[in-house]
Amino acid sequence: MKVLQDRSLAPFHTFGIDVKAKQIVEAETADELASIWQSKCYQTVPKLIVGQGSNLLFCEEYSGLIVLNRIKGIDITETESSFHLHIGAGEDWHQLVKMTVEQGMPGLENLALIPGCVGSSPIQNIGAYGVELKDVCQYVDIIELETGLRQRLNADECEFGYRDSIFKHQLKNSHAIIAVGIELTKAWRPNTSYGPLAKFDPNTATASNIFDEVCSIRRSKLPDPALMGNAGSFFKNPIISAEQASRLISQYPTIPVYSQPNGKMKVAAGWLIDQCRLKGFQVGGARVHDQQALVLVNYHRASPGDIIALALHVIQTVESAFAITLEHEVRFMSSSDEILITELAQ
Ligand code: FAD
Ligand code: EPU
């Protein structure tokens, strides 16, 4: 394994910010991953697994070892009722979606064009256009990094929630995801529940129709990280009580709110930020995206400090206007560990 020393992380995360890491290495197998964690020379060094860095903000130079997950391989088996896919954690998510749609295995089309690795998809239970990973995930294979012990979690054990799972909590840092099992039922029906997809007739729409439409909507709203650095939605859509939601609805009848299974309501954070007229607002090289207020972009050579200052301004402005505190979806990394913006603001 070739270890890169003192390299810029710019090509390894979608914000494209020029911060350095002390060391960077690729792991192509689960055994290679475990051997890094068990190696004496890295024992006291901070270590971070990175897929495509599309949900990460490096707040400063990373003082340890970045381990790029490059575990490949896709196995497909078929039963009378389903296709079963066993996918190496380092495979590209969008390429997987494209391949399944092209090969007549529908079910992932609503999740097209989400950047990142397959192995990262269960971590925040990726979701878009009415579908979440939990709807198709059968199991997640993990490895305990200190011991090399492998384990298979079924979907229930992953504790999937909105942008959440066990991998952000109990299993964070101690385990790595090495493969994901996906089941695609042959009794497929298109999911046209999300606003812009409602124009399709569910009786005639094909997976290709949905795939093409999702790609086209996403390209019109979301900045391409290859052209303008970003990490998708910077904040989560806040979940508030039904009482607070009805107060907001009476004050702002057009506010987009969505019912949650627990009786609570989800509010569109992009709408809240947009109402505060923050689209195009800039701190240094960081900017609130002009087409989608929920996305903060590296507009021109932004520093981590620019993005953090902009995020704090957005949080404070929305809080003053709506008494709602936004939480960041993007994972912040300090020089050695994950950190929250609230800790940085202290
Ligand atoms: P990374 O950013 O590399 O890592 C994310 C976290 O997971 C880090 O904490 C990392 O340490 C950890 N990690 C990575 N791999 C492993 C592993 N194998 N084992 C254990 N821990 C690991 N998300 C959505 O849900 N829906 C969307 O519609 C969406 N749209 C986006 C659009 C754009 C333009 C961008 C840039 C991002 C978008 N995202 C979206 C966010 C992002 O695509 C997802 O969170 C994606 O799953 C991250 O994958 P990654 O490989 O880049 O993870
Ligand atoms: N809106 C505005 N102004 C804006 C942005 C949004 O008024 O600047 C309004 C829209 O008009 C719409 C509502 O807010 O009524 C929701 O907007 P959109 O459909 O674009 O979705 P979102 O809530 O902003 C969420 C996810 C996205 C996912 C899309 C599609 C979160 C945090 N974000 O965005 O996921 O792709 O829905 O399902 O849940 C990500 O997680 O990185 C991500 C991009």
Side-chain angles (χ1 to χ4, degrees), residues 128-129 162-163 194 221 233 235 237 268 274 279 292-293 329:
Y129 298 94
Y162 167 60
R163 298 294 188 269
Y194 199 87
K221 280 195 199 174
S233 299
F235 302 99
N237 284 329
D274 201 354
K279 269 184 180 161
Q292 222 308 358
E329 175 189 303

Side-chain angles (χ1 to χ4, degrees), residues 223-240:
D224 177 352
L227 305 174
M228 197 189 291
N230 74 92
S233 299
F234 197 88
F235 302 99
K236 288 189 253 190
N237 284 329
I239 313 279
I240 60 173

Side-chain angles (χ1 to χ4, degrees), residues 314-339:
V314 169
I315 292 171
Q316 281 152 10
T317 310
V318 167
E319 207 161 47
S320 313
F322 298 102
I324 291 176
T325 307
L326 297 178
E327 287 175 22
H328 50 98
E329 175 189 303
V330 173
R331 315 277 298 266
F332 283 37
M333 290 308 303
S334 76
S335 66
S336 60
D337 211 347
E338 185 164 12
I339 190 162

Side-chain angles (χ1 to χ4, degrees), residues 48-49 51-55 115 117 120 123-124 126-127 177 218 232:
L48 179 72
I49 303 178
Q52 295 179 12
S54 63
N55 209 27
C117 290
S120 314
I123 295 172
Q124 70 157 8
I126 57 167
I177 294 174
R218 292 182 68 101

